[in-house]
Amino acid sequence: MEKTVFSNHLEITDREMETALDYASSAVLANLKDFKDKFQKAYSEDGFYHPIENDYWTCGFWTGEVWLAYEYAKAHAVKNLTDGSVVPDAAEALKEAGEVQVESFLHRIDEKIEVDHHDMGFLYSPSCVAAYKLIGSKKGKEAAIKAADQLITRFHPVGEFIQAWGPMNAPENYRLIIDCLLNLPLLYWASEETGDPKYQEIAEKHIHTAVANVIREDYSTWHTFFFNMETGAPDHGATCQGYRDGSAWARGQAWGIYGMALAYRYTGREEYIEIFRHVTEYFLQHLPEDLVPYWDLEFTSGNEQPRDSSSASIAACGMLEMVKYLPKEERGYYVTIAKQLLKAVYDTCAVRDFTKSNGLVLHSTYSNHSPYNTCDHKGVDECNSWGDYFYMEALTRLTKDWEQYW
Ligand code: GLY
C-alpha cells in the first residue's frame, strides 16, 4: 500500500510541544476554580465551557485533563495565566481535584447515575483507571471495576457485541458503534486487576464483531451497525453523527484508527495492524490542505463545512500508540504524520488567551445535524471536551514515556 506523505507540512517542534503543554496545564489549573466539584460540559458555547454535574458520557475527559496536567506539573513549573508567576504546589492542587472527581465517579457508578450506555471506558479510563495508575487510588480502582461490571451488562451473546445506546433488546437499539473500541481497554484492565477473564472475553468478542462489520471494503467506516435481534446476523450500517449513510464521519474514522491500535495492543492479532494501516490511510487521503479534518471526510479543501479538530488529535494518539508495535522502519512515518497533524491543530486551533476561551482547542464538532443523519445539532465549531483531552494526550505521548490510561 502506498502511504500518503505530506511533504509540504512542518512537524510540531519540541519547543512548540512544550509551549502547548505548558499552556494547557496552566489552563486546566486555572479552570479548577469552576470545575473541581463540577465538570465541563461536552462542548463550549462561544468558546466557554459551563459547569455540569457528573452525568454525561464525556465527564471523564475533563478529569483526564486534570491527571495529564498533574503529570506535567510533577516535572515542570506551572504558571498562573494572569500574571505569569509560578503557581506553588500546582501538582498537589491538581491531585486533590483529581481525587475529588474520582469520589464523584464512584458515587455515580454506585448510584447508577446515567450509566445505562456503553461509554464506561470514556468515563472511567481517563479518570479512575488513571487515578489508580498514577496515585494508587483505591476508590479509583473500585469505581473502575464497578464500571466494567456495568459495561458487560450491555453485551449481547446473540450477535456478540456491546450495545451502545438505549434500553436493551429493542430492534432500534440493537447496534454497536465504532466509538466503543475506546471503551474496551477498561475491560482488559478489569480482567488484569481482578484475575477474572470474563471482561476480556467480552471485549475480544466485541472487537471481532465490530471489526468484521464497521470497516467497509475501501477502509472507510460505518459509525453504527445494526444486527438482527433473533439471529444476531449483521444487518446494516447507518450513520448517526456522520453526514450521511455511506460517508465517513471524521471522528468515527479517528476512533477506528485509535481503536485498531488498542485492539492490536490487547489481542496481538496481526491482521489488526494491516487494518490500522488502511483505516489510517483512508483518513489521511481525505484530509484538506491544512490537515484539520472536516467533520465528515466527504468534505475536502475549499468547503465551508465545519471542522472537527478533535479527530486529528485522536488519530495522532492512535498512531503514537501503534508505533510501539510496528517494525522499526515504519515507526518514523507515523510519528511524522502525528506531529504534522498536531502542528496543524496547534497552529490553527489551539487557544492561547484564557480570556477568549476556557478550553484548549477550537474548531471541533460534536454533532452536526444534516438532512441525512439522526443526530441533534450541538457543539459545532467549538471546543469539545475530548478534543482538549486527546490534544493533551498526544502532546504527552510525544514528550514523555507515558503510561497510558487506556
Ligand atoms: N462517542 C461520541 C462522539 O464521538 O461524539
Side-chain angles (χ1 to χ4, degrees), residues 57 179 241 249 251 255 366:
W57 73 270
D179 324 27
Q241 282 158 272
W249 175 47
R251 196 159 60 257
W255 292 137
Y366 180 5

Side-chain angles (χ1 to χ4, degrees), residues 132-332:
Y132 176 60
K133 288 186 176 178
L134 288 170
I135 60 164
S137 167
K138 289 200 174 68
K139 286 183 180 164
K141 177 177 173 181
E142 182 188 344
I145 289 172
K146 286 176 172 169
D149 282 324
Q150 173 69 15
L151 180 53
I152 60 174
T153 66
R154 299 191 66 83
F155 181 68
H156 285 299
V158 176
E160 301 199 323
F161 69 95
I162 293 170
Q163 182 183 308
W165 306 313
M168 302 287 277
N169 291 320
E172 69 274 18
N173 294 326
Y174 215 74
R175 63 171 155 181
L176 61 80
I177 73 171
I178 192 166
D179 324 27
C180 190
L181 292 170
L182 273 283
N183 286 320
L184 305 178
L186 178 70
L187 298 182
Y188 284 96
W189 172 84
S191 274
E192 203 176 294
E193 285 302 321
T194 61
D196 187 337
K198 71 179 174 199
Y199 306 98
Q200 171 174 341
E201 283 164 12
I202 285 177
E204 209 123 323
K205 285 181 179 152
H206 177 94
I207 292 173
H208 187 257
T209 308
V211 171
N213 292 291
V214 294
I215 297 166
R216 304 184 187 116
E217 237 166 73
D218 64 355
Y219 293 97
S220 65
T221 51
W222 287 107
H223 179 196
T224 89
F225 204 94
F226 285 89
F227 298 83
N228 179 294
M229 259 184 72
E230 268 75 55
T231 64
D235 201 278
H236 68 282
T239 201
C240 171
Q241 282 158 272
Y243 176 63
R244 63 175 175 87
D245 289 342
S247 70
W249 175 47
R251 196 159 60 257
Q253 195 77 17
W255 292 137
I257 294 169
Y258 202 167
M260 290 321 301
L262 291 168
Y264 179 75
R265 173 191 174 94
Y266 287 108
T267 66
R269 289 176 75 141
E270 289 291 321
E271 65 267 32
Y272 293 165
I273 300 186
E274 193 56 11
I275 297 174
F276 162 86
R277 291 188 183 107
H278 284 282
V279 169
T280 304
E281 181 56 25
Y282 187 95
F283 183 81
L284 300 178
Q285 275 184 12
H286 291 80
L287 291 180
E289 280 289 299
D290 63 10
L291 304 189
V292 180
Y294 284 94
W295 68 284
D296 191 292
L297 298 179
E298 177 132 321
F299 305 112
T300 49
S301 297
N303 233 288
E304 293 300 307
Q305 292 285 331
R307 308 296 185 109
D308 179 27
S309 56
S310 77
S311 300
S313 299
I314 294 164
C317 287
M319 291 178 217
L320 295 171
E321 175 60 21
M322 198 64 187
V323 292
K324 297 183 198 163
Y325 321 111
L326 290 174
K328 234 194 196 133
E329 60 277 11
E330 218 181 340
R331 291 180 205 157

Side-chain angles (χ1 to χ4, degrees), residues 70-77:
Y70 164 72
E71 291 202 52
Y72 182 81
K74 279 205 301 182
H76 305 83

Side-chain angles (χ1 to χ4, degrees), residues 104-145:
S104 166
F105 278 103
L106 181 56
H107 173 75
R108 179 170 175 175
I109 194 70
D110 277 339
E111 298 304 316
K112 300 263 194 290
I113 299 167
E114 297 295 329
V115 292
D116 239 350
H117 55 79
H118 72 152
D119 283 324
M120 294 304 108
F122 281 130
L123 283 170
Y124 283 85
S125 294
S127 59
C128 294
V129 173
Y132 176 60
K133 288 186 176 178
L134 288 170
I135 60 164
S137 167
K138 289 200 174 68
K139 286 183 180 164
K141 177 177 173 181
E142 182 188 344
I145 289 172

